[in-house]
Amino acid sequence: MRVLKRFNEFLVTVGSWGTILFMVVIATVIPYEVIGRYVFQKMSMWSGEVSTYSLVWASMLGGAVGLKKGYMISMEAVLDAVPPALVRILKGVSYFCALFFFGAMFGYGLFQTIYNARQTSPAIGLVMSFPYAALPTGFFIMFFLTMEEFLVSLGLGPKKGGAR
């Protein structure tokens, strides 16, 4: 479990820095694009693609980091309304469904990444595997973060109160 926890800490760190990087790219390219279009009446061909692909990466990495930080939707009202034994079952089913979904999306994203390896973007000629790789990357991180939470919910993680 310690190995999984450290691995997930590494994934969250990489995801956080990746999100920051792609948000900086977006925050730089979009104003450049707007100024070019409305002030100079000349728009560069590459800026739309760069901002779109950066948004895809920022969304997937940010979603994974948000999952770890607890920013995702939950149904706490339902869990508060049922007996504790049922809460444990519902959480287990929820984790299982999430793991299945993230695993399936990882596989589909990997398929799309490989399938689009020969396709290039029209403006900058970027191999389309790069934007598509955001899908398996984000879902890979989400899968392992959810796996850690699932194992903790089963009592396989560190005990509360700091004891290991």
Side-chain angles (χ1 to χ4, degrees):
M1 186 67 184
R2 266 190 218 155
V3 172
L4 180 60
K5 187 170 177 57
R6 285 190 182 162
F7 180 63
N8 284 346
E9 288 171 359
F10 170 75
L11 292 176
V12 169
T13 301
V14 170
S16 297
W17 282 107
T19 303
I20 291 167
L21 170 73
F22 288 112
M23 290 303 290
V24 166
V25 170
I26 292 167
T28 305
V29 172
I30 297 290
Y32 166 79
E33 187 174 354
V34 170
I35 290 168
R37 180 181 300 155
Y38 294 110
V39 175
F40 301 117
Q41 271 80 46
K42 188 175 183 184
M43 190 175 111
S44 45
M45 303 261 304
W46 59 269
S47 57
E49 283 186 9
V50 169
S51 59
T52 300
Y53 301 151
S54 295
L55 178 62
V56 169
W57 273 96
S59 298
M60 290 306 299
L61 294 175
V65 171
L67 179 67
K68 177 63 176 176
K69 296 185 184 266
Y71 297 146
M72 297 304 201
I73 276 183
S74 68
M75 306 251 321
E76 294 297 322
V78 172
L79 296 178
D80 292 341
V82 298
L86 188 55
V87 168
R88 188 175 168 117
I89 292 169
L90 290 174
K91 281 188 173 185
V93 169
S94 172
Y95 286 131
F96 180 77
C97 290
L99 287 169
F100 177 79
F101 176 76
F102 294 148
M105 290 293 91
F106 170 78
Y108 180 73
L110 194 59
F111 170 76
Q112 287 297 322
T113 301
I114 295 167
Y115 184 77
N116 289 292
R118 291 194 175 121
Q119 182 183 2
T120 57
S121 65
I124 59 177
L126 179 70
V127 174
M128 290 303 292
S129 286
F130 178 74
Y132 279 102
L135 294 170
T137 302
F139 287 119
F140 178 85
I141 296 170
M142 291 180 204
F143 181 88
F144 279 99
L145 295 175
T146 303
M147 179 61 75
E148 179 184 355
E149 291 296 318
F150 180 55
L151 293 174
V152 167
S153 77
L154 293 176
L156 300 174
K159 305 291 182 225
K160 290 186 180 179
R164 288 187 175 207

